[in-house]
Amino acid sequence: MTMLQDRPTDTKLISKVPDGALADKWDNFKANAKLVNPSNKRKFKVIVVGTGLAGASAAASLAELGYRVDAFTFHDSPRRAHSIAAQGGINAAKNYQGDGDSVSRLFSDTIKGGDFRSREGNVYRLAQVSVNIIDQMVAQGVPFAREYGGLLDNRSFGGAQVSRTFYARGQTGQQLLLGAYQQLSRQIGLGGVRLFNRCELVDIVVIDGRAAGIVTRDLLTGELTSHAAHAVVLATGGYGNAYYLSTNAMNCNVTAAWRAHQRGAYFANPCYTQIHPTCIPQADETQSKLTLMSESLRNDGRVWVPKNFDETRAAHEIPEQDRDYFLERLYPAYGNLAPRDISSRAAKRLVDKGLGVGPLKNGVYLDFADAIGRLGRNVVEERYGNLFEMYERIAGENPYDQPMRIYPATHYTMGGLWVDYELQTTIPGLYAAGEANFSDHGTNRLGASALMQGLADGYFVLPYTISNGLAPLLNKTVPGTDHPEFKRVETAAKARFQGYLDIKGTRSPDFFHRELGKLIWNYCGMERDRNGLEKALTEIPALYSEFKTDLRVTGTGEGVNQTLEKAGRVDDFFQLGTLMCKDALTREESAGGHFRVEYQTEEGEAVRDDENFCHVAAWEWTGDENNATRHEEQLSFESVQLATRSYK
Amino acid sequence: MTRTVKNLTLKVWRQNGPDDKGHFETHVIDSITDEASFLEMLDVLNERLIDENKEAIVFDHDCREGICGTCSLMINGQAHGPQRATTTCQLHLRSFNDNDTIVIEPWRASAFPIIKDLMVDRAAFDRIVESGGFITSPTGGAPDANLIPVPKPVADAAMDAAACIGCGACVAACPNSAANLFVGAKITHLNLLPQGQAERYKRAEAMVDEMDEHFGSCTNHGECSAACPKEISLDVIALMNKDYRSAKFKNRKQLSRK
Ligand SMILES: Cc1cc2nc3c(=O)[nH]c(=O)nc-3n(C[C@H](O)[C@H](O)[C@H](O)COP(=O)(O)OP(=O)(O)OC[C@H]3O[C@@H](n4cnc5c(N)ncnc54)[C@H](O)[C@@H]3O)c2cc1C
Ligand code: SF4
Ligand code: FES
C-alpha cells in the first residue's frame, strides 16, 4: 500500500470502504449489509430528488424493492433532465470486442484518467457493476448501435486503448434516460413512486443530526411544502452553470447540493471542473449557453490557428506555412487526440496570445479539408453528417467549405457532495448520486464515464446501501412534518424568496449570473494562479454584496415566476463560486482539470504534489461562505502505482 | 457573415394563469445580431422588461440543444417556427428579415392547458407512458446484453422512432390535436425490439386507450410529421394502428381463455 501522507483523515470523512482485496470489497459489503424484509419495506419512505439517470434509476429500483418513494424534479417531466443531452456513449467492461478489456483495466484507466485523486474502492466497484448496466438497459429497450450480426457495437473514447463505449447514434444520453424514465413511469403508474414535477427542493431538514426530509417550492404556485422521509437521496446533477456559459442546460443549478452543504454535508473538491475542448465558441453578448461538438470529430479534424497575429485572410486562403497545427506540434504522439484538459489549455494559450480565429478571435479551427481530400466528402458526411448540420444550424457556416471554429467550454463537474462508500454524505440519512457527488472521477473524468456512474449509483449501489442504512430504523419513529424544525425551515425559505422580491434594485438575476460567471471563468477556469484566485476572492464577494442590494426581481412569489427561481439559483452560485476559488487556491498542485500555473513543467505540463495533496479536500460550512473549514480524506493506492501522465 | 436584423415586431401571447383570457402584447426589437437564437432574443426582451419593472415573459426551455423537448412555441402559426427539423431553441435569427412581424404563441391544444404566457402543461404525455410505454424489466434481473441479437435494421428503425423528444409539436400542429405521432413513435420503438414482444399488444392497447382519454383523433392530415423536429415518420402511426387492432383481438381472446 502506498501511503504518502501521514496526516490523518478527518473523523467525519471515514470512507467505510470494506475490507478485503479490491475485487472482493463490494461482495463483502453485500454479504454483510443489513437487509429489510419485503413486508417491512412499505414502512419506509425514501425521497429521491432529481430524475436524471441517477435519480430515475434509483427511484424506480427502490420502488421495485417495495420502498415508498417520492420523486422530485423541477422539470415538467422526468424525461427532460440534462442527462438527455449526453451524446457520445457509455463505458462498460464487457469486453465484447475481445480486445483485452476487463474490470481491472476499466478501473485503472479511470484512476489514471482522474490523475490519482479518486478513491480506489469506489472506482473498482464502478467498473464491476458497469457490465450489469448494459444488460439492464438493453432489457429495457435502449436501441444501442449494433453490428450487422445483431450484436452490440462499440467505439473507443479518449483515455482508453480498448473499445468499450456503447452508444445509440449521437443520442446515448437520451436513450438511456428514456429507458430509466420509462422504468420510473411504470412505477408511477403502479403507485410505487409519487412524482412531484415542477417542484424544486429549496431546503433540507436535519433533526438530531439526521436527514429528516426536505422543503420544496411548487414552481407553478410558489407554495412551500414539507416532506418527511426515512432517507433522502440527492441526484441533482452538476454545477457547471456557475460559469454562466457551459454545455449544461439553462436550469442546471447547485441549490440542492449547496443547501445540503449548508446543513452540514461536506462539499468535496469544488475546484475540479472539466473544460471540454470542442464546443462552439461564444458568438456575441446575447449568448446563453454553449453547445458541445462531439469529441469524435477530433479523429479526422485537424486543429490549427494562423501563425500571424494580424491574419485577415479566410481560412482556405491561408497557406500551409502560415498555419500552426499546434496539437500535432506539441503532442506528436497523440496529435489532435490529446486528452481534454491538455487540448483545452493549448487552445486557450494561443487565443490568449491573440491568435484566435472568427469574428471575436475567440476560437481555433477544426479543419476537415484534409479528411475530405483523403476520404471523400461522402465518407466524412457519413461519419459526421449530423454534427456538421448541427454546427451549421448554430454557427451559420458550412463546415464542408470552411473549417469549424471551436473553443473549450465548461462541461462537467467532478467535485460535489462528499460521500462515503455507501454514497452517504456526512449527514446520516442523506445520500448523493450521479454528478451531484464527488466520488469516482478524481480531477478529470474520462469520456463516457458519467452516464456509467449515474446508472451504477442509481441501479446497483444505492438499493443495497440504503437498505443497510434503513434496517436499524425499523419500528422506530422518525420526525414527521409536524416537527417544529420543518416549520422553521419552511418559514426561512419563504423569507429568502420574499427577500429577493423586496430588494427592488436595478439589475436582473441574469446580469449578476453573467458577471459572476466571467469572474469564475477568468480566475478559476482552465488555468488558475494564486494572484488571480486571490483577486477572485475579493471580487466575487464585492459583486455578491451588490447582488444583495441591487437585485431586481419583478412579479410576485405566487404563481410561475422564472425570474424569482433564477434569483435563488444565482444566490447559491455566488457562495459556491467563492468556495471553488478557495479550494483552487489551497490545492497547491496541478492535476487533471485543476491546473495551477505555478505548478507546471518547463513544457507546460501539470505537476502533481503527491507528498502533500494526495487527498480529497472536503469543506465544512461554518455559517459564512468566506470562511469554510477544509478537511482532508487521505487517499491510498493498493493496486496502481502513482505515475505522471504523459501524452507526448 | 454576421448580420444585424432590424426592426422586428413581436406579437407575444401573454396570459396570467390558466383562467385568464389572455392577449397579444407587442414589442419591437430595434436591432439584434442574427447570431442570436430565437430564445436568446426572448432573453434580451425579458431583460428589457425587467428593466422597465415589468414581468418577464414565461416560456419553457432548458437544454437549448434540441434534445430535451422542453421548448415549445408556435411561431407565425408554425410549431417550432419555419426551419425544417429544428426545435425553437435551435432556430436562429438568420431565418428572419428586417421589419418582420413575428407572432409568438403557446402550443394550443385542450390536452395541453396553458399555465402562463407561453408555458403549457404536457403531463398527458407522461400519463400515456405510465400506462404502458415501457418494457417491464426490474433492476437486476436482466440477461446478458448480447444474449438476444437484434438485427441492425430493426435496431436502426427502433432508434429512428425512439428519437422523439416528447415536445408536443405534433399535437400543436394537428388540426384535431391528436397525439398519434408521439404515441406511435413510442409504440414502434418498443414493439419492434425483441425485448418488447412480451408486452407488445398489452402496451399498444393500454397506450392508445390512454391517449384517447386526452387527445383528439387522427384523420391523416400529416401535419404532425411535417412539424416534428425529429422527422418522425407517419409509418409509426400505421404500426401503432396495426398493433392496436391485433391487440383488441388478441387481448380479448386471452381474456376469454382465463
Ligand atoms: C452536452 C453534454 C454531453 C455529455 N456527454 C456525455 C457522454 O457522452 N457520456 C457520458 O458518460 N457523460 C456525458 N455527459 C455527462 C453526463 O451527461 C452527466 O454527468 C449525467 O447525465 C448527469 O446525470 P445526473 O442524473 O447526475 O443529473 P441530471 O441528469 O442533470 O439530472 C438532475 C436532476 O435533478 C433535478 N434537480 C436538480 N436540482 C433540483 C432541485 N433543487 N429540486 C428538484 N429537482 C432538482 C433535475 O430536475 C433533474 O431531474 C455529458 C454532459 C453534457 C452537458
Ligand atoms: S413525435 Fe416529433 S413532434 Fe411529436 S413529440 Fe415526438 S419529437 Fe415532438
Ligand atoms: S430547449 Fe431543449 S429541445 Fe429546445
Side-chain angles (χ1 to χ4, degrees):
Chain A
M1 180 184 298
T2 347
M3 236 342 195
L4 289 143
Q5 296 159 279
D6 42 18
R7 288 196 279 203
T9 282
D10 188 274
T11 48
K12 271 210 169 181
L13 300 178
I14 303 299
S15 65
K16 293 202 264 175
V17 175
D19 291 335
L22 205 46
D24 301 331
K25 287 180 189 295
W26 183 227
D27 277 345
N28 292 348
F29 176 86
K30 288 194 285 188
N32 295 314
K34 295 186 263 314
L35 299 174
V36 178
N37 92 38
S39 60
N40 280 332
K41 290 208 174 80
R42 293 295 306 161
K43 296 182 180 161
F44 290 106
K45 159 79 71 72
V46 180
I47 284 175
V48 177
V49 188
T51 56
L53 283 181
S57 57
S61 306
L62 290 166
E64 282 165 358
L65 287 173
Y67 294 112
R68 284 178 295 134
V69 177
D70 283 353
F72 295 81
T73 167
F74 62 66
H75 286 101
D76 67 327
S77 163
R79 65 180 296 150
R80 315 275 186 224
H82 198 47
S83 292
I84 201 103
Q87 304 172 350
I90 175 166
N91 288 331
K94 277 288 196 186
N95 194 28
Y96 281 158
Q97 307 302 324
D99 58 356
D101 200 10
S102 64
V103 166
S104 20
R105 191 177 290 274
L106 174 54
F107 158 74
S108 60
D109 283 352
T110 308
I111 288 277
K112 276 182 207 154
D115 221 351
F116 305 95
R117 291 292 176 268
S118 41
R119 196 189 284 146
E120 268 191 337
N122 287 55
V123 176
Y124 197 88
R125 174 180 64 192
L126 173 65
Q128 282 177 308
V129 303
S130 70
V131 298
N132 306 111
I133 296 172
I134 303 303
D135 299 342
Q136 180 66 25
M137 298 324 280
V138 165
Q140 236 141 247
V142 170
F144 282 120
R146 304 231 165 214
E147 313 262 16
Y148 278 97
L151 300 182
L152 290 157
D153 191 17
N154 290 114
R155 52 165 66 144
S156 54
F157 243 69
Q161 291 168 307
V162 295
S163 285
R164 63 159 76 96
T165 306
F166 295 78
Y167 65 102
R169 296 210 183 126
Q171 289 121 278
T172 314
Q174 178 197 30
Q175 294 310 316
L176 293 172
L177 181 62
L178 291 181
Y181 156 70
Q182 286 162 199
Q183 191 180 357
L184 174 64
S185 294
R186 174 166 173 265
Q187 285 303 320
I188 296 169
L190 292 172
V193 176
R194 288 196 301 170
L195 177 72
F196 295 79
N197 66 333
R198 295 203 196 260
C199 189
E200 181 158 81
L201 176 153
V202 292
D203 216 332
I204 290 159
V205 180
V206 179
I207 298 173
D208 298 331
R210 200 185 150 82
I214 64 174
V215 170
T216 60
R217 182 169 181 274
D218 182 326
L219 300 183
L220 298 186
T221 62
E223 202 184 326
L224 292 158
T225 312
S226 291
H227 308 263
H230 294 83
V232 176
V233 177
L234 300 185
T236 46
Y239 53 84
N241 269 355
Y243 291 93
Y244 185 71
L245 289 180
S246 82
T247 64
N248 280 5
M250 299 298 288
N251 294 307
C252 293
N253 68 83
V254 76
T255 293
W258 194 254
R259 210 63 72 232
H261 175 56
Q262 291 177 317
R263 296 284 165 208
Y266 288 8
F267 205 107
N269 302 330
C271 80
Y272 290 174
T273 56
Q274 182 167 75
I275 314 288
H276 196 292
T278 52
C279 303
I280 304 176
Q282 183 173 5
D284 63 88
E285 271 292 305
T286 69
Q287 188 96 28
S288 56
K289 71 151 281 158
L290 297 169
T291 303
L292 177 77
M293 296 307 294
S294 169
E295 190 159 315
S296 61
L297 289 167
R298 288 198 284 147
N299 280 299
D300 285 306
R302 296 181 72 193
V303 179
W304 63 277
V305 291
K307 283 186 183 159
N308 302 323
F309 286 92
D310 41 12
E311 187 57 75
T312 53
R313 290 169 289 185
H316 66 273
E317 287 166 4
I318 303 176
E320 284 294 317
Q321 72 269 17
D322 289 343
R323 301 175 175 198
D324 177 12
Y325 293 93
F326 56 92
L327 289 178
E328 297 170 22
R329 171 171 61 81
L330 293 166
Y331 307 101
Y334 278 70
N336 295 296
L337 281 174
R340 289 180 176 178
D341 49 345
I342 289 177
S343 310
S344 294
R345 275 196 296 278
K348 175 189 184 332
R349 286 171 186 165
L350 292 165
V351 168
D352 284 353
K353 267 197 196 162
L355 287 163
V357 301
L360 302 179
K361 288 176 92 56
N362 62 349
V364 300
Y365 286 130
L366 178 62
D367 196 340
F368 293 87
D370 279 3
I372 293 171
R374 183 165 37 96
L375 305 163
R377 186 182 157 127
N378 283 348
V379 175
V380 171
E381 189 169 344
E382 211 172 88
R383 284 189 192 163
Y384 308 113
N386 56 344
L387 293 169
F388 279 34
E389 267 179 44
M390 173 151 126
Y391 179 83
E392 190 172 359
R393 262 201 296 274
I394 294 168
E397 293 170 354
N398 178 348
Y400 294 103
D401 301 337
Q402 61 194 109
M404 283 185 184
R405 288 176 291 112
I406 54 160
Y407 195 66
T410 304
H411 178 59
Y412 182 85
T413 52
M414 283 76 68
L417 290 172
W418 185 91
V419 289
D420 62 16
Y421 191 72
E422 302 188 32
L423 305 185
Q424 190 162 225
T425 66
T426 51
I427 301 176
L430 181 69
Y431 297 78
E435 197 174 334
N437 73 27
F438 89 110
S439 65
D440 298 335
H441 308 290
T443 61
N444 176 54
R445 174 178 69 78
L446 292 182
S449 285
L451 301 178
M452 169 173 75
Q453 182 227 325
L455 289 173
D457 289 358
Y459 276 134
F460 299 109
V461 179
L462 281 177
Y464 293 93
T465 62
I466 286 194
S467 294
N468 189 47
L470 289 178
L473 298 182
L474 187 65
N475 296 331
K476 297 208 172 110
T477 42
V478 293
T481 53
D482 51 354
H483 191 285
E485 182 63 7
F486 275 98
K487 220 354 73 335
R488 199 188 64 75
V489 175
E490 232 181 77
T491 312
K494 204 178 185 82
R496 186 165 60 247
F497 284 100
Q498 192 55 45
Y500 301 131
L501 290 160
D502 290 344
I503 298 173
K504 297 191 190 305
T506 67
R507 306 282 200 177
S508 70
D510 269 323
F511 167 84
F512 285 106
H513 192 189
R514 238 183 340 258
E515 295 304 310
L516 170 67
K518 281 183 209 158
L519 292 177
I520 305 180
W521 177 248
N522 289 338
Y523 297 128
C524 197
M526 268 183 278
E527 292 188 330
R528 297 111 190 235
D529 64 24
R530 169 169 291 279
N531 221 339
L533 290 164
E534 279 171 353
K535 260 214 208 117
L537 287 171
T538 57
E539 288 178 24
I540 293 174
L543 187 65
Y544 191 28
S545 53
E546 241 181 87
F547 172 87
K548 289 181 191 158
T549 52
D550 197 26
L551 176 72
R552 175 184 292 177
V553 177
T554 51
T556 69
E558 281 99 54
V560 182
N561 188 341
Q562 294 171 320
T563 316
L564 184 58
E565 292 164 24
K566 186 75 199 261
R569 294 170 185 172
V570 176
D571 192 353
D572 294 326
F573 280 137
F574 266 109
Q575 303 196 354
L576 167 76
T578 308
L579 193 64
M580 286 167 71
C581 294
K582 240 187 139 137
D583 187 45
L585 182 65
T586 45
R587 184 164 285 277
E588 296 175 319
E589 64 165 349
S590 294
H594 170 66
F595 190 86
R596 280 282 299 264
V597 173
E598 303 96 316
Y599 309 102
Q600 56 179 316
T601 63
E602 264 173 37
E603 294 93 40
E605 304 306 336
V607 174
R608 265 193 347 246
D609 177 356
D610 292 334
E611 204 61 48
N612 295 300
F613 288 95
C614 196
H615 61 240
V616 176
W619 295 85
E620 180 186 3
W621 174 256
T622 57
D624 165 8
E625 71 276 4
N626 299 304
N627 279 310
T629 307
R630 190 176 191 273
H631 300 272
E632 296 176 3
E633 177 201 339
Q634 305 306 330
L635 296 169
S636 58
F637 293 90
E638 288 173 31
S639 61
V640 290
Q641 277 292 317
L642 273 75
T644 305
R645 297 196 312 162
S646 170
Y647 297 93
K648 287 265 171 193
Chain B
M1 250 350 259
T2 310
R3 174 170 66 97
T4 303
V5 190
K6 295 208 178 67
N7 192 35
L8 292 174
T9 303
L10 309 184
K11 299 206 149 130
V12 187
W13 186 257
R14 302 298 304 258
Q15 181 174 334
N16 195 14
D19 303 326
D20 183 28
K21 220 164 79 251
H23 65 282
F24 281 104
E25 196 174 82
T26 304
H27 297 280
V28 176
I29 305 280
D30 290 330
S31 93
I32 184 165
T33 160
D34 74 343
E35 297 272 359
S37 71
F38 197 83
L39 296 183
E40 283 164 356
M41 172 181 73
L42 291 184
D43 293 343
V44 170
L45 176 57
N46 272 343
E47 289 271 298
R48 196 169 89 195
L49 289 173
I50 294 172
D51 229 31
E52 294 166 358
N53 242 328
K54 294 181 184 141
E55 269 194 60
I57 299 160
V58 172
F59 61 95
D60 259 328
H61 65 102
D62 199 26
C63 74
R64 299 203 176 184
E65 295 190 12
I67 191 73
C68 72
T70 312
C71 64
S72 60
L73 296 176
M74 292 303 273
I75 299 168
N76 288 335
Q78 282 177 293
H80 289 304
Q83 198 174 334
R84 181 193 63 85
T86 302
T87 52
T88 294
C89 61
Q90 292 274 281
L91 184 65
H92 281 67
L93 294 185
R94 288 186 282 273
S95 300
F96 297 89
N97 296 312
D98 292 354
N99 309 314
D100 276 356
T101 295
I102 309 175
V103 181
I104 307 172
E105 293 171 90
W107 286 167
R108 303 228 185 241
S110 57
F112 292 163
I114 294 175
I115 295 169
K116 187 168 178 176
D117 295 344
L118 304 169
M119 178 188 269
V120 302
D121 181 359
R122 285 167 286 192
F125 271 8
D126 290 319
R127 299 296 91 77
I128 297 173
V129 175
E130 286 156 19
S131 75
F134 47 75
I135 293 174
T136 300
S137 164
T139 304
D144 185 85
N146 257 347
L147 188 69
I148 307 169
V150 181
K152 186 167 162 33
V154 172
D156 285 346
M159 179 64 218
D160 287 341
C164 163
I165 57 174
C167 62
C170 44
V171 175
C174 174
N176 307 327
S177 302
N180 291 45
L181 197 67
F182 168 77
V183 181
K186 188 44 50 191
I187 288 179
T188 301
H189 160 209
L190 298 175
N191 283 11
L192 283 179
L193 291 170
Q195 287 81 4
Q197 294 311 307
E199 291 161 299
R200 177 170 188 166
Y201 297 105
K202 189 168 164 241
R203 172 181 307 117
E205 185 169 21
M207 290 181 77
V208 172
D209 287 347
E210 183 71 25
M211 170 179 85
D212 290 342
E213 295 277 309
H214 306 270
F215 294 91
S217 13
C218 171
T219 47
N220 298 317
H221 283 266
E223 297 289 340
C224 50
S225 187
C228 173
K230 299 297 147 184
E231 303 188 293
I232 301 291
S233 143
L234 290 172
D235 295 348
V236 302
I237 301 183
L239 186 113
M240 171 177 80
N241 289 339
K242 183 170 135 289
D243 278 7
Y244 183 67
R245 276 194 305 273
S246 312
K248 283 287 172 205
F249 180 69
K250 288 199 165 97
N251 292 349
R252 220 173 292 133
K253 243 171 62 181
Q254 265 173 10
L255 275 182
S256 62
R257 220 180 281 141
K258 268 193 193 155

